[in-house]
Amino acid sequence: MAQLSPLERWVLTLLGTIGFFAIWQGVAASGLVSHNALPTPAEVLATAWQLSFEPFAGHTLLQHLAASLGRFAMGFGLAALVGVPLGLAMGRWRLLDDIVSPIFEMLRFVAPLAWVPFAALWFGTGIGGPVMVIFAGALPPCLINAYRGAKLVEPRIVEAAQVLGASGPRIMAEVLLPGSLPSIVAGLRVSAGLAWQSLIGAELIVASAGIGYVMVQAQSNLAPSIVMAGMLAVGVIGLALDVALRRTETLVKARWGQA
Amino acid sequence: MKDIRFEGIGKAFPTRGGGQFVALDDVTLTVAEREFVAVVGPSGSGKTTLMRMAAGLDHPTSGQVAVGGKRVTAPGPDRAVVFQQFALFPWKTVRENIAFGLRCQGAPRAKQDEVVARYLRLMNMEGTEDRYPHQLSGGMQQRVAIARSYAIEPDVLLMDEPFGALDAQTRTVMQEELVRLTRREPRTTLFITHAVEEAVYLSDRVVVLARDPGRLREIVDIRPTRIAEGWDEMAIDAVMDLPSFTHLRTHVWRLLRDQIRPDD
Ligand SMILES: Nc1ncnc2c1ncn2[C@@H]1O[C@H](COP(=O)(O)OP(=O)(O)OP(=O)(O)O)[C@@H](O)[C@H]1O
Ligand SMILES: [Mg+2]
């Protein structure tokens, strides 16, 4: 197949997006599906615009998004703060690996959503519970990538640090961390995506604000255009996050890859 | 300063079949304080294994290694290692690489700067302090690795074929620099090499190992000749032309030759 130029690829992307909305519009306007179940794209956009000024479920759309982003940042940040050092240490110290790995291997198959009941019981529905759910979703890629990265650091370099008198924490911070940075950044990107995806599950148990909370409230109010406006917002922000992190990853790889 | 004592060292590695492979058998050897001992031997005679045990990176299966009278159990900053593959920190500059050991000891910034400057000067590497290892030639990287080890002022230096990866010219320059550095700051040194001339030129004594199993074959004393003829004051090619040098070199060569196999 012939190589496409960047311009051609942009055009294709644009065509795909327009096509998607055109089909959606077509189906919604055709009357084949009840209007109560499927609003048109224009209505969803109008709803999103309206929600930006008029409070729904107590707050405007931006306020809900801010609440969601705050939870996301806490859950994701906590996962990175715990997962990266733990993964690095497990990659370096066999004993720790043997202790933690079996538990971790089991727990990581519990989907983020499956943590919801446990999180609500143990950490409540205020800040703790939702953050715990996001944390559970975001932790595995942080930990696994740091672990793999640490395993791949040249053993001679770790030994060099050891014979120069470096302590365990210093070896982690100055040898294992920079040595596995490309792998860690890749892990953080995947982790951020999962954290954002876990968010809606996490917000099933909050009762104050958040984009997931908006969607649940809209569902019980039978307001499909609000539900879909919420989905749209989640999608757009997720995409923006991913693009930003992809950029960062490319930068880190370019800077670190040659070393 | 400290000495290194290998006392009846044996090292066996478990093999896949459940048996054992004897890498070193009953090696007893003392490197005196400030002495420079070169170790030569065919590939697989256990040179690296011997050095790693003195460093505390490997442990003997029988016998023991003591440095300064204290049994070695783990790596420590009294013993610096120069690895054959440089093992510089790729994400640290030349300055940061050299200063790393001092930072581990909690040395003040001023002291670090002073030591870094001193070794850059000694190694003829002024002006490269802000470069990263991948921006240096192989010879320069090796000099940084040596400076990094010297900077912590270790009692004992362990070097595993440090010049193995260098081209002939750079190697000669490095050998002369090492002699210069050793004369100025003598340290207890265990220097592993494949190259017989290098071993004779640099050392006080040359230890020849045999293999299958790795064991001590003979120790050749170089020091009396080196002192008597003032090798340290001479250029490397002048030393290598001396009849006494040629004689010693041939002697070590013969010890090695009858055990070298075609696959080496
Ligand atoms: N971790 C290990 N496991 C099993 N066998 C090993 C291990 N390390 C070394 N050996 C074996 O021990 C023997 C001695 O190895 P060593 O690396 O000390 O040799 P060397 O004299 O340094 O060789 P060279 O000149 O090629 O570097 C070799 O036969 C090697 O295969
Ligand atoms: Mg070796």
Side-chain angles (χ1 to χ4, degrees), chain A residues 13-38:
Chain A
T13 306
L14 201 65
L15 284 178
T17 314
I18 292 173
F20 171 75
F21 282 103
I23 292 171
W24 176 3
Q25 176 77 39
V27 173
S30 69
L32 286 173
V33 184
S34 151
H35 186 252
N36 285 338
L38 186 67

Side-chain angles (χ1 to χ4, degrees), chain A residues 93-137:
Chain A
W93 288 282
R94 190 59 194 275
L95 192 69
L96 191 68
D97 190 3
D98 288 343
I99 295 171
V100 180
S101 276
I103 307 165
F104 175 72
E105 286 300 321
M106 189 178 67
L107 288 184
R108 82 188 173 94
F109 287 104
V110 180
L113 206 58
W115 283 98
V116 167
F118 172 84
L121 280 177
W122 279 78
F123 297 97
T125 56
I127 295 180
V131 168
M132 157 83 217
V133 172
I134 299 168
F135 173 81

Side-chain angles (χ1 to χ4, degrees), chain A residues 182-183 185-186 247-259:
Chain A
S183 171
V185 174
R247 285 268 158 82
T248 316
E249 192 181 339
T250 312
L251 276 178
V252 168
K253 290 216 164 123
R255 165 89 172 67
W256 239 241
Q258 62 190 354

Side-chain angles (χ1 to χ4, degrees), chain A residues 153 156-167 170 174-176 178-179 255-256 258-259, chain B residues 52 57 75-77 79 81 83 85 87-92 100-101 103-104 132 134 148 152:
Chain A
V153 173
R156 289 284 168 278
I157 295 183
V158 180
E159 288 182 348
Q162 253 184 306
V163 296
L164 288 165
S167 61
R170 191 186 290 274
E174 294 194 37
V175 179
L176 298 178
R255 165 89 172 67
W256 239 241
Q258 62 190 354
Chain B
R52 288 177 61 82
L57 294 168
R79 287 154 283 139
V81 179
F83 295 92
Q85 310 88 337
L88 295 174
F89 306 118
W91 43 82
K92 290 185 187 291
F100 184 81
R103 275 185 49 232
C104 292
Y132 287 91
H134 70 93
R148 184 177 67 174
I152 57 173

